[in-house]
């Protein structure tokens, strides 16, 4: 599907994009394992993400993300949901692309924030004004936009997003139409 069965499908996007819920459904639909970098981190540290931020600070959390990315190299054919800040450093999206197809779950910022505030505790949103969140989002967008596939989730529920992701992956996996090849689909006799 995403290239071949060894290829991972890696979901990126801002908090509230639905990476966890979409990833879980997508993995089920594809019959693949599902993994979240945030879960890898909490399992390793033995404490929830907000506690890691409070006790050890953001730089420590980002170092744990670096380590999680190194461990992702062992994954084959899985669906991987990343934390919202994980792809946002130079070379990171390219490193993820080496592991599979990177899918950006995008959306209107107000909608993403509303979802993020409704579900779970997001330390990166603590005490931030709307302007500060917008600045954070803008600083991240250039990284997300390097993804191989983009699905706008603004008006979609998780099942609908999964359907769009599957459609986009199928298009990518489809071999090019013969008429689009340089010799118009004719066999070459140039021996
Ligand atoms: C973060 C997003 C969170 C989690 C951590 C930091 C971020 O994941 O990794 O709180 O920097 O955007 P979600 O995107 O799943 O909320």
């Amino acid at each position: 599907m995403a290239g071949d069965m060894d290829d991972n499908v890696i979901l990126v996007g801002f908090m509230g994009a639905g990476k966890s819920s979409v990833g879980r459904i997508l993995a089920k639909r594809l019959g693949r394992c599902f993994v979240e970098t945030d879960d890898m981190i909490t399992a390793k540290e033995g404490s929830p993400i907000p506690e890691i931020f409070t006790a050890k600070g953001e730089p420590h959390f980002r170092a744990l993300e670096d380590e999680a990315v190194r461990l992702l190299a062992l994954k084959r054919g899985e669906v991987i949901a990343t934390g919202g800040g994980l792809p946002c450093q130079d070379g990171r999206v390219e490193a993820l692309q080496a592991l599979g197809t990177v899918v950006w779950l995008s959306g209107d910022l107000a909608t993403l924030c509303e979802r993020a505030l409704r579900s779970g505790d997001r330390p990166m949103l603590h005490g931030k004004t709307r302007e500060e969140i917008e600045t954070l989002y803008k600083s991240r967008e250039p990284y997300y936009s390097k993804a191989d596939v983009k699905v706008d989730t603004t008006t979609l529920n998780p099942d609908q997003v999964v359907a769009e992701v599957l459609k986009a992956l199928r298009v990518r996996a489809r071999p090019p139409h013969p008429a689009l090849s340089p010799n118009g689909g004719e066999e070459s006799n140039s021996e």
Side-chain angles (χ1 to χ4, degrees), residues 3-4 7 9 11 21 46 73 79 111 127 141 163 167 182 188:
D4 61 59
D7 262 2
V9 178
L11 304 178
S21 37
V79 174
T111 306
E141 204 175 17
K167 215 188 289 172
S188 165

Side-chain angles (χ1 to χ4, degrees), residues 17-175:
K19 302 175 295 283
S20 306
S21 37
V22 168
R24 207 164 292 119
I25 301 169
L26 182 64
K28 211 174 263 174
R29 292 283 304 274
L30 291 172
R32 299 187 181 193
C33 292
F34 175 56
V35 62
E36 297 201 59
T37 55
D38 280 353
D39 286 348
M40 293 165 72
I41 290 169
T42 47
K44 179 176 184 292
E45 288 290 283
S47 41
I49 306 279
E51 264 178 54
I52 300 173
F53 269 79
T54 310
K56 300 183 174 168
E58 186 183 349
H60 179 75
F61 176 76
R62 299 300 169 201
L64 293 169
E65 284 192 320
D66 293 346
E67 199 184 330
V69 171
R70 283 195 291 278
L71 291 173
L72 290 182
L74 303 170
K75 305 283 178 202
R76 297 281 180 279
E78 301 199 1
V79 174
I80 300 165
T82 60
L86 183 140
C88 305
Q89 55 172 272
D90 291 343
R92 185 49 70 70
V93 174
E94 292 77 1
L96 296 177
Q97 282 168 325
L99 306 175
T101 303
V102 178
V103 178
W104 173 22
L105 301 185
S106 71
D108 160 71
L109 183 56
T111 306
L112 299 180
C113 287
E114 193 202 307
R115 287 189 202 142
L117 294 170
R118 234 190 298 133
S119 67
D121 187 356
R122 306 303 208 289
M124 290 300 291
L125 300 179
H126 286 177
K128 285 215 167 66
T129 63
R130 229 178 61 189
E131 287 70 30
E132 286 167 333
I133 295 172
E134 202 169 319
T135 304
L136 176 68
Y137 178 77
K138 288 222 170 93
S139 71
R140 291 178 168 191
E141 204 175 17
Y143 296 100
Y144 300 144
S145 65
K146 290 182 185 181
D148 303 300
V149 168
K150 174 184 174 184
V151 173
D152 187 339
T153 70
T154 309
T155 60
L156 305 180
N157 66 38
D159 284 311
Q160 292 169 320
V161 175
V162 169
E164 289 304 309
V165 172
L166 286 170
K167 215 188 289 172
L169 293 176
R170 270 187 212 114
V171 169
R172 281 178 62 79
R174 195 179 297 153

